Amino acid sequence: MAGRTLRVRGFPAELPPDRAADKLTIHFLRSRNGGGDIADVQVLPGSPPCALITFEAPEVAQRILKVKNHVLAIGRTQYPLEVTLYAAELSPDEVLRG
């Protein structure tokens, strides 16, 4: 999963998680946004909420990071998105022993 997962913030908190996942999937599938095939979308609760989007290929994630302004349009409202590379921290229990 290294280099394939992005953290996205800036979408409305009042949006139900399944609808937020649908809207983000559509946005990040579009080639004009640098997007491509998505392996997984997880909307995490919190204030503000964030989503973790994992792409099939790390090249897609890198292309998306190069796009300066991601804006999610919902109805007539536009939400500027903050998109960053997500690096999961491994707990000592998750480290593989060789």
Side-chain angles (χ1 to χ4, degrees), residues 2-95:
R4 296 189 306 134
T5 302
L6 300 179
R7 180 193 315 255
V8 179
R9 295 181 185 185
F11 55 92
E14 63 274 8
L15 206 58
D18 59 335
R19 187 143 183 260
D22 289 347
K23 293 286 187 184
L24 292 169
T25 298
I26 291 166
H27 178 84
F28 288 107
L29 276 172
R30 289 189 174 136
S31 59
R32 73 171 183 230
N33 297 325
D37 292 334
I38 294 172
D40 186 47
V41 176
Q42 292 180 324
V43 177
L44 306 176
S47 183
C50 76
L52 300 179
I53 303 175
T54 302
F55 295 89
E56 294 287 343
E59 302 81 45
V60 175
Q62 294 306 311
R63 269 199 321 263
I64 287 172
L65 287 172
K66 290 179 183 173
V67 175
K68 295 297 178 203
N69 297 310
H70 285 282
V71 177
L72 184 65
I74 301 176
R76 294 184 179 189
T77 308
Q78 297 194 351
Y79 299 91
L81 299 176
E82 174 191 333
V83 181
T84 57
L85 188 61
Y86 176 72
E89 293 183 21
L90 293 178
S91 73
D93 296 335
E94 293 174 331
V95 175

